[in-house]
Amino acid sequence: MNTAGPAEETLVRSGLELAPFRGVRYDPDRVGSLAAVTSPPYDVIVRPDGLLHLESADPYNIVRLILPQDATPDARNRQAADTLHAWLSKGVLTTDPEPGLYVYEQRDADMLQRGIIGTLRLSEPSDGVVLPHEDVMPHIVADRAALMRATSANLEPLLLTYRGNGSRVGTAAVIERTADREPLLSTTTEDGLSHRLWAITDAADLAEIQSDLGRHQALIADGHHRWATYLRLRAEHPSPSPWDFGLVLLVDTARYPLRVRAIHRLLHGLPVAEAVAALTDSFRVRRLDVPLPKALETLASAAAEGNAFLLAGDGSFHLVDRPDPDLLTRTVPADHPEAWRTLDATVLHATLLAHVWGIPEDSPAHIAYIHDTEATVAKAELDGGTAVLLHPVREEVVRDLARQGVTMPRKSTSFGPKPASGLVLRALSD
């Protein structure tokens, strides 16, 4: 039976190869609680407040590995490596006795998501097996690569999606059978999400999963910089080596649709009044003296008609929409599909940042990328900068552009729920 989704049936290359590994996990008897040692992915943590909160939650919180703190990058990476080795030596982290894949479940009152964690054979975008949809920032890739080199570990899984055909065979069947058993671990994090993890070690189950996934391609939902890091480190190590594979969570979005949210921008050093003044001749700008939820509703309505953004930071919201078509023609590259040219993120980067405000998109001194809407607004008000809030793009648009080999502007989307960091790690020296 062909279990590939309709858009994947024409894929002629080899599909996904997900390999078992010996997971590294916290010993629950050695930590305060499993919830207290977990963390959101490194790039979701709002710094410094979120970082300090996680560090104080438990002395063994995974944030000490994924975001080590010290005076220099080299010192931070050495500290992460030393901490990892110390935790392994003390038995705070232990290695599972046999290789396996892991069923990972996240649940709250409104959502159930299940997927498979394993090590995925790396491939280039041109291979058509794993599709990126966003550009990356070289300095972040370099930073993550240095950390992975120092620790010789994949400290948190990437989130990848694929589209099954909705059947209950293959990977889906193994997941459902496994989820009926007693889990390896179960915990609920402070955001209200419950997390459960099971190991799959049976040879027949592993073979069934591999046969199924070998027919599919995947979309990188979250973790473009870490995927680019995997590829960089693979190139540094002669094959075959453990660096030929990287730690991922694979979710079938035909069965478990993800939530898609926007990633917002915080513009340092640009007061809202100056940002608004620069737009008066090229966009319509309306002041909204309403609470954040109502402002976001207004943004959603405007985004349904065309490009729209919310600016915040001065105690009010400013809806920016109806861009001058001539300005878009002059500033948005014409050598891309229309679906890319009309993205809010494209107009933000090509027109607003580059042309109107003159802000470099890859400079941490000028711009920050923040997932949490309320945190973006609060930091803008505190710092005297401008928060730029975006409306999320639809998943089908992301996937269609990725299949065309077209990448969106960096940090365009936030798929979730994201896997909690700290539930299972991978040591490449194993």
Side-chain angles (χ1 to χ4, degrees):
M1 177 183 294
N2 183 2
T3 59
E8 295 173 309
E9 291 175 355
T10 59
L11 187 67
V12 297
R13 303 175 181 85
S14 298
L16 303 168
E17 181 183 340
L18 193 69
F21 70 106
R22 296 176 67 206
V24 175
R25 298 187 295 111
Y26 282 98
D27 181 343
D29 295 329
R30 302 296 300 275
V31 297
S33 74
L34 290 175
V37 296
T38 64
S39 163
Y42 80 98
D43 57 340
V44 179
I45 299 168
V46 179
R47 287 162 261 180
D49 295 345
L51 178 63
L52 295 173
H53 173 72
L54 291 165
E55 287 180 332
S56 63
D58 191 283
Y60 299 119
N61 189 284
I62 191 68
V63 77
R64 287 178 168 79
L65 300 183
I66 63 175
L67 282 177
Q69 300 299 298
D70 212 316
T72 67
D74 286 346
R76 289 195 291 270
N77 295 328
R78 285 195 303 271
Q79 180 186 108
D82 292 343
T83 300
L84 176 59
H85 295 154
W87 291 358
L88 287 166
S89 298
K90 293 164 60 176
V92 173
L93 290 171
T94 61
T95 304
D96 284 339
E98 57 182 319
L101 300 176
Y102 296 84
V103 172
Y104 177 44
E105 176 190 278
Q106 294 167 282
R107 183 194 293 265
D108 63 17
D110 304 315
M111 178 276 305
L112 170 66
Q113 177 176 288
R114 288 174 178 156
I116 295 281
I117 295 176
T119 62
L120 186 68
R121 182 175 290 279
L122 305 180
S123 59
E124 298 291 339
S126 59
D127 296 330
V129 177
V130 175
L131 306 177
H133 71 267
E134 289 182 356
D135 290 333
V136 298
M137 291 176 267
H139 73 277
I140 296 180
V141 176
D143 176 75
R144 290 292 102 184
L147 178 63
M148 285 191 202
R149 284 191 206 98
T151 58
S152 191
N154 297 156
L155 300 172
E156 44 186 351
L158 285 62
L159 175 59
L160 273 62
T161 72
Y162 68 101
R163 298 287 292 178
N165 65 359
S167 70
R168 293 181 175 271
V169 299
T171 305
V174 177
I175 288 176
E176 301 309 316
R177 290 198 303 268
T178 304
D180 285 336
R181 305 198 316 251
E182 189 71 18
L184 286 175
L185 64 85
S186 178
T187 190
T188 300
T189 46
E190 63 179 18
D191 57 5
L193 278 178
S194 68
H195 307 259
R196 297 199 295 172
L197 193 75
W198 297 262
I200 303 172
T201 57
D202 179 78
D205 285 344
L206 295 174
E208 186 172 355
I209 291 171
Q210 186 51 58
S211 176
D212 179 24
L213 293 180
R215 301 182 177 98
H216 290 283
Q217 62 182 176
L219 174 74
I220 301 175
D222 184 70
H224 283 81
H225 289 91
R226 283 167 287 166
W227 182 262
T229 299
Y230 287 171
L231 294 177
R232 174 180 292 193
L233 295 175
R234 180 187 65 170
E236 296 175 3
H237 295 81
S239 185
S241 84
W243 299 92
D244 293 339
F245 293 79
L247 187 64
V248 304
L249 165 64
L250 274 170
V251 175
D252 176 2
T253 54
R255 291 182 59 80
Y256 301 108
L258 296 183
R259 299 165 175 168
V260 186
R261 295 187 171 94
I263 301 176
H264 310 297
R265 276 63 170 161
L266 173 60
L267 309 182
H268 304 299
L270 178 66
V272 174
E274 292 183 19
V276 168
L279 298 173
T280 53
D281 295 331
S282 51
F283 286 79
R284 183 176 69 168
V285 182
R286 289 177 287 165
R287 183 183 178 113
L288 306 175
D289 290 309
V290 297
L292 176 58
K294 183 63 177 178
L296 292 174
E297 290 178 9
T298 306
L299 173 62
S301 297
E305 303 297 327
N307 299 121
F309 313 90
L310 271 181
L311 306 187
D314 62 353
S316 296
F317 298 98
H318 305 264
L319 180 66
V320 176
D321 64 355
R322 297 188 183 179
D324 178 2
D326 291 338
L327 175 64
L328 297 185
T329 299
R330 296 196 309 270
T331 56
V332 175
D335 57 345
H336 282 69
E338 182 180 2
W340 181 90
R341 298 197 308 272
T342 56
L343 289 170
D344 288 337
T346 297
V347 173
L348 172 60
H349 283 253
T351 304
L352 290 173
L353 294 180
H355 180 80
V356 176
W357 293 325
I359 294 175
E361 62 181 6
D362 57 355
S363 170
H366 293 86
I367 185 170
Y369 298 82
I370 304 177
H371 293 71
D372 185 86
T373 308
E374 293 182 358
T376 310
V377 174
K379 289 183 73 66
E381 292 178 347
L382 180 65
D383 299 343
T386 295
V388 183
L389 309 182
L390 288 84
H391 185 68
V393 66
R394 301 190 314 276
E395 180 185 357
E396 56 266 30
V397 173
V398 176
R399 193 175 293 274
D400 287 346
L401 286 173
R403 288 194 176 117
Q404 296 177 58
V406 178
T407 54
M408 299 166 64
R410 57 197 59 174
K411 299 292 184 181
S412 294
T413 59
S414 176
F415 285 87
K418 305 178 190 302
S421 299
L423 295 180
V424 62
L425 292 66
R426 176 198 179 211
L428 278 84
S429 58
D430 177 40

